[in-house]
Amino acid sequence: MSQLSDVLAGGDDPAAPVSVVRVLARHGFGTVEPGQLLAARGTLLGEVVTAGDLLRGALDAPAADLARSALSAPGTTEAHVAEDDAVAAGLACAGGATLLAHPLGTDPAGALAQAFAAGVPAALVSTADGVAALAVVGTDLDEVHGSLGDAALDEAVLAHVRRLARRGATTTDRAELAGTDVLVDLWVPVPSLLVVGAGAIADALEAQAGVLGWGHRQVSTIEETTAAVAAFTDADVLVLLDHDPGFDEALLAGLRGGRGFLGALGSRRTQAARRERLLTAGVTEADLARIHGPVGLDLGARTPAETAVSIVAEVIAARSNREPAALSVGRGQIGA
């Protein structure tokens, strides 16, 4: 996101006007990444520079034109991508989208630029017509820059953004808050997988992290595990493969911190023994529910590679606050 941060920050002319283009609604394309954003900024020479992309670049051309016009006023446009062009861009199929472009003030634009550069959570929220916008940034999403023009609405937006952030995943959401239609784009750093232990499953988890673009770290001692888990953010994931009871201390640190995904492999007997030890240590039933053990979805996994898939699948489901089910039985928009 470095180029996007540069355009939002403004470089030599931070006071120059900036606009952003976002996906207000879409149909088709298959599963696409949330948090799509393209930014444009005027320059000292009267030119317009852009950065970011929409739907793997498939909508960049209409978005860039819209961004230029939105430097002074918000607007929307309908954009469509044919099958061949969509597939060439890496999308699953053809589709269409309603693009929203709107000006963005210097304060929220600069806050987003700094958050993207630092790799901390950030949210851009606007009214659905693009007339007003604000940014919420920070590890705890506690810094608000800008306003939607109403204190009650701003408070509702902040609460909504923090609820979304508890999923631990980048999200695009449209909601009615305090009687106002708003568009929310929330960016959360990608998960970082902390694997404790070695072996075939550990190797398979490293491979899965690579496929997903997640961070990965493998440790073996109780001390380094406990220190790492104590510093967890909402994006961090613990997969405890080692059954040594000493690693209970790391789980306790995770429960005290209240952040991240805590998962532990092991048989039901191993889980029962761990449960009794933690209860004896003063952990409540509610706290125990935060520990995913045995970690992984019941996919019928048999091999280490399949077990790794089941583990990351549970992490994804938990971060999205979803009850896993086949897409064929669902009724909502795929990928929403």
Side-chain angles (χ1 to χ4, degrees):
M1 282 191 169
S2 60
Q3 290 183 329
L4 184 59
S5 296
D6 291 343
V7 169
L8 287 169
D12 295 333
D13 188 13
V18 62
S19 66
V20 291
V21 185
R22 305 152 70 199
V23 178
L24 185 64
R26 69 170 179 85
H27 59 85
F29 299 122
T31 300
V32 298
E33 297 89 348
Q36 303 281 319
L37 183 70
L38 184 142
R41 181 180 283 275
T43 70
L44 292 171
L45 300 177
E47 301 172 343
V48 175
V49 295
T50 63
D53 62 77
L54 295 177
L55 300 178
R56 298 180 177 271
L59 296 178
D60 283 2
D65 292 339
L66 187 63
R68 292 183 180 92
S69 65
L71 287 169
S72 56
T76 61
T77 191
E78 298 296 325
H80 301 273
V81 181
E83 187 78 12
D84 290 346
D85 292 336
V87 173
L91 301 169
C93 59
T98 303
L99 302 181
L100 168 68
H102 60 85
L104 190 61
T106 300
D107 186 25
L112 286 179
Q114 292 180 9
F116 290 159
V120 299
L124 173 60
V125 186
S126 72
T127 53
D129 58 9
V131 169
L134 61 78
V136 186
V137 302
T139 302
D140 296 312
L141 290 170
D142 54 359
E143 301 175 30
V144 181
H145 299 263
S147 172
L148 297 189
D150 179 85
L153 177 57
D154 290 350
E155 286 296 323
V157 162
L158 185 58
H160 185 68
V161 166
R162 288 174 173 169
R163 282 195 298 271
L164 292 176
R166 284 197 285 271
R167 302 179 184 177
T170 294
T171 303
T172 294
D173 184 61
R174 190 169 176 180
E176 184 173 317
L177 302 175
T180 302
D181 187 9
V182 300
L183 176 63
V184 180
D185 281 305
L186 168 69
W187 295 273
V188 174
V190 298
S192 183
L193 191 61
L194 179 70
V195 178
V196 183
I201 294 178
D203 293 342
L205 283 168
E206 181 178 7
Q208 280 295 312
V211 169
L212 294 166
W214 293 2
H216 174 269
R217 180 184 174 194
Q218 188 172 346
V219 297
S220 59
T221 69
I222 295 170
E223 292 76 17
E224 60 186 338
T225 303
T226 302
V229 173
F232 262 16
T233 69
D234 289 332
D236 292 313
V237 178
L238 169 70
V239 179
L240 182 59
L241 304 180
D242 196 312
H243 299 344
D244 186 334
F247 285 102
D248 289 356
E249 184 57 38
L251 293 173
L252 290 169
L255 293 175
R256 285 193 296 269
R259 293 189 164 184
F261 178 101
L262 306 177
L265 205 68
S267 66
R268 301 197 186 281
R269 177 179 294 181
T270 297
Q271 303 298 332
R274 179 183 292 117
R275 171 188 171 83
E276 291 304 315
R277 294 195 303 270
L278 292 174
L279 286 172
T280 300
V283 173
T284 66
E285 291 286 351
D287 285 337
L288 280 174
R290 287 197 55 231
I291 299 175
H292 302 260
V295 65
L297 298 184
D298 186 4
L299 304 178
R302 296 290 183 270
T303 67
E306 291 173 347
T307 299
V309 169
S310 78
I311 292 171
V312 300
E314 184 177 15
V315 173
I316 293 169
R319 284 167 58 85
S320 301
N321 196 30
R322 296 289 183 89
E323 289 294 332
L327 288 174
S328 60
V329 302
R331 297 185 179 276
Q333 180 178 336
I334 295 174

